[in-house]
Amino acid sequence: MKEITKIAPAEGKLGILIPGMGAVTTTFIAGVEAIRRGLAKPIGSVTQLATIRLGKRTDGRSPLIKDFVPLAGLNDLVFGTWDIFEDTCLEAAQRAGVLEAPLLDKLREPLSVIRPMKAVFDQEYVKRIIGPNIKDKGTKMDKAEMLMEDIRQFRESTGAARLAMIWCGSTEVFHKAAAVHRTLKDFECGLMKDDPEISPSQIYAYAALKSGVPYANGAPHLTVDTPAMMELARDRELPICGKDFKTGQTFMKTLIAPGLKSRMLGLSGWFSTNILGNRDGEVLDDPGSFKSKEETKLSALEQILQPDLYPDLYKNIYHKVRINYYPPRGDAKEGWDNIDIFGWLGYPMQIKVDFLCRDSILAAPLVLDLVLFMDLAQRAGMRGVQEWLSFYFKGPMTAPGLYPEHDIFIQLMKLKNTLRWMQGEDLITHLGQEYYD
Ligand SMILES: NC(=O)c1ccc[n+]([C@@H]2O[C@H](COP(=O)([O-])OP(=O)(O)OC[C@H]3O[C@@H](n4cnc5c(N)ncnc54)[C@H](O)[C@@H]3O)[C@@H](O)[C@H]2O)c1
């Protein structure tokens, strides 16, 4: 056994700060409030429901993760949000149309007091929406300072002992990292000079990290995946992670692709299409925002299948991803996959997947797990990119030069081994020779 990592206790309230109060955020907050009141169960949440095996299979030690590592309790969470619309959390949840009216009626009291703070917004980065609740004066640096002031006031008014920020705002238009993202100094000069390459999400992330708050990115755009933000996170000893919650179709992809590869079955094509009608779908109808999504959605398959190592099986894959905005479906997305595979002697076969999913129902437990684990990571002194949280993302962040691990089963093993490592337990290798000595 190794030494136990020193983890500060989860004492006091944990403040969850969320830019963007749309479908995912309201489903998350309403869900936590419902669970606290015993109205529902935290289905889909690893921190709340999963166990972790310790020691040998014969030892019979499998505590709940939440009993094994010191996580903040659901009763200790307080919420603060920003949005370009002025709707309260209750109104935004009603508008999002994910949760049914009878449940929202029971949560009227806690949800109607959550009002979004004024957002930092730029229509160059999110084209299809515009709203009144924005900070419209000053340079990008001034806006970062206003966000830091929001954070300070939130900390004071709620009495939160610790904070964590998670981006659940709209997906921004695709941009590659630019000169302004090279170092922290370049980035700060860029904020003062209103550099057009700095997006609103990066201003939130900068304000969070400067305020000592860990940052997780639920959308596919860059935000903290740049050298400048990694430098700031390291300097301030703060965890960061991203990008893009792994929920519907990509979740299915990372379940099926490792299975095909494990049996050395070939793949000639994978065509994925989606219809969805929520605001996220509307924003993604813009080609710039879709490009950000396409990047994370396409990369998973390539990384899992490793065509360079297995050219006979995966060299010529035709991979296509489509998202179509279709209002009648609202948040109830439908994702179709047509998968063309081949087996022994090259004989072709097909798999069809029709996933009638609920986007925000799948995303909300990931938000919960991420904020609790980011808070744990900070108390455990873990700084910079948290690769062990890859499990939650379509486009996991890694150290520069390292390829990301997309296989969900490897990701889960990495996550659980990290928890074992934190608590000084033996890592589980699944070798199993000891049972047969
Ligand atoms: N639901 C899923 O399964 C899923 C999966 C992966 C990623 N995501 C990502 O999570 C994010 C949220 O998804 P959603 O379905 O809740 O979308 P949504 O459109 O319902 O909510 C996004 C909210 O962000 C607000 N917003 C936009 N720019 C902002 C800014 N600069 N500051 C503050 N608020 C801002 C919008 O007004 C909107 O209310 C999106 O980026 C989406 O791509 C969602």
Side-chain angles (χ1 to χ4, degrees):
M1 273 202 205
K2 71 175 262 297
E3 215 181 295
I4 300 179
T5 311
K6 278 211 166 52
I7 307 176
E11 277 166 2
K13 289 186 197 159
L14 173 63
I16 312 299
L17 290 166
I18 316 181
M21 191 168 62
V24 172
T25 301
T26 55
T27 307
F28 160 64
I29 298 177
V32 170
E33 295 293 352
I35 294 158
R36 274 177 182 168
R37 286 164 177 72
L39 300 172
K41 296 244 184 284
I43 311 292
S45 162
V46 170
T47 56
Q48 304 306 300
L49 296 181
T51 59
I52 182 162
R53 186 189 120 199
L54 304 174
K56 290 186 184 175
R57 264 183 276 163
T58 44
D59 290 353
R61 294 165 67 211
S62 289
L64 285 168
I65 285 178
K66 66 177 181 177
D67 295 333
F68 175 59
V69 285
L71 297 176
L74 297 195
N75 287 331
D76 291 330
L77 304 187
V78 283
F79 307 101
T81 66
W82 291 268
D83 205 288
I84 65 170
F85 298 105
E86 289 162 336
D87 298 345
T88 64
C89 190
L90 179 67
E91 291 158 346
Q94 287 163 337
R95 182 199 292 258
V98 178
L99 301 176
E100 288 166 358
L103 178 64
L104 291 178
D105 277 344
K106 293 188 187 131
L107 303 171
R108 200 161 266 284
E109 195 193 317
L111 299 188
S112 54
V113 295
I114 302 179
R115 289 182 183 280
M117 297 176 268
K118 281 192 190 315
V120 171
F121 186 71
D122 180 351
Q123 250 210 326
E124 285 301 311
Y125 279 90
V126 177
K127 305 262 185 211
R128 297 279 155 104
I129 52 174
I130 182 84
N133 195 37
I134 52 177
K135 303 186 197 302
D136 50 5
K137 298 219 168 49
T139 63
K140 292 188 175 182
M141 183 56 103
D142 294 331
K143 288 178 182 156
E145 275 158 13
M146 289 181 227
L147 289 173
M148 286 186 241
E149 180 56 21
D150 289 346
I151 296 171
R152 201 192 59 71
Q153 280 184 18
F154 175 81
R155 203 192 290 266
E156 204 177 282
S157 65
T158 58
R162 305 173 315 284
L163 303 174
M165 189 181 288
I166 185 161
W167 176 271
C168 296
S170 308
T171 297
E172 295 176 338
V173 166
F174 179 73
H175 278 234
K176 288 201 162 81
V180 74
H181 301 112
R182 266 202 298 254
T183 66
L184 181 56
K185 197 159 166 260
D186 291 332
F187 188 82
E188 289 182 331
C189 285
L191 282 174
M192 284 184 277
K193 290 186 188 150
D194 265 342
D195 190 303
E197 288 296 328
I198 297 181
S199 74
S201 69
Q202 293 165 12
I203 304 177
Y204 285 95
Y206 174 79
L209 297 174
K210 288 290 269 190
S211 309
V213 179
Y215 188 96
N217 179 15
H221 48 236
L222 283 177
T223 314
V224 282
D225 198 2
T226 66
M229 288 296 115
M230 289 189 195
E231 183 186 333
L232 180 54
R234 261 194 326 273
D235 287 359
R236 300 275 165 146
E237 314 241 305
L238 289 167
I240 50 174
C241 66
K243 314 180 291 252
D244 204 6
F245 301 129
K246 175 151 76 180
T247 50
Q249 201 164 47
T250 310
F251 170 51
M252 285 296 139
K253 233 169 234 178
T254 61
L255 291 178
I256 295 171
L260 296 173
K261 184 180 158 200
S262 69
R263 284 287 163 93
M264 292 289 107
L265 293 169
L267 181 75
S268 50
W270 196 313
F271 178 72
S272 303
T273 187
N274 297 273
I275 53 174
L276 84 160
N278 58 15
R279 193 183 280 153
D280 187 33
E282 193 178 353
V283 168
L284 292 173
D285 215 30
D286 169 63
S289 289
F290 175 66
K291 175 87 176 119
S292 295
K293 253 307 172 211
E294 194 181 24
E295 288 280 310
T296 55
K297 278 186 170 263
L298 288 178
S299 64
L301 208 51
E302 174 102 352
Q303 293 291 351
I304 291 173
L305 297 176
Q306 298 176 296
D308 290 348
L309 290 183
Y310 302 102
D312 288 342
L313 301 176
Y314 308 121
K315 188 178 56 196
N316 293 318
I317 303 168
Y318 190 85
H319 187 196
K320 194 97 188 155
V321 179
R322 286 272 165 270
I323 299 179
N324 301 290
Y325 177 52
Y326 179 63
R329 277 303 166 87
D331 199 64
K333 179 160 86 177
E334 183 160 1
W336 289 276
D337 286 278
N338 172 73
I339 313 164
D340 283 292
I341 66 171
F342 54 91
W344 186 240
L345 314 178
Y347 276 73
M349 294 171 262
Q350 293 181 23
I351 301 171
K352 313 272 179 191
V353 180
D354 183 5
F355 190 12
L356 288 97
C357 70
R358 292 173 189 270
D359 247 12
S360 306
I361 293 293
L362 292 171
L366 310 195
V367 177
L368 175 62
D369 285 356
L370 280 165
V371 293
L372 296 185
F373 279 146
M374 287 295 271
D375 171 52
L376 173 73
Q378 185 181 17
R379 282 181 286 112
M382 295 162 75
R383 63 179 185 167
V385 177
Q386 302 298 301
E387 207 198 292
W388 63 290
L389 298 176
S390 300
F391 177 69
Y392 294 103
F393 295 112
K394 283 197 205 51
M397 279 173 62
T398 54
L402 200 60
Y403 70 79
E405 194 53 77
H406 283 280
D407 177 329
I408 197 157
F409 301 105
I410 297 179
Q411 292 172 333
L412 182 62
M413 193 145 47
K414 195 191 278 281
L415 185 153
K416 289 193 170 179
N417 268 341
T418 303
L419 299 175
R420 293 182 186 106
W421 169 81
M422 278 184 192
Q423 294 293 52
E425 290 284 340
D426 290 339
L427 305 190
I428 289 190
T429 62
H430 297 290
L431 177 64
Q433 282 294 344
E434 66 274 23
Y435 301 113
Y436 299 92
D437 281 346

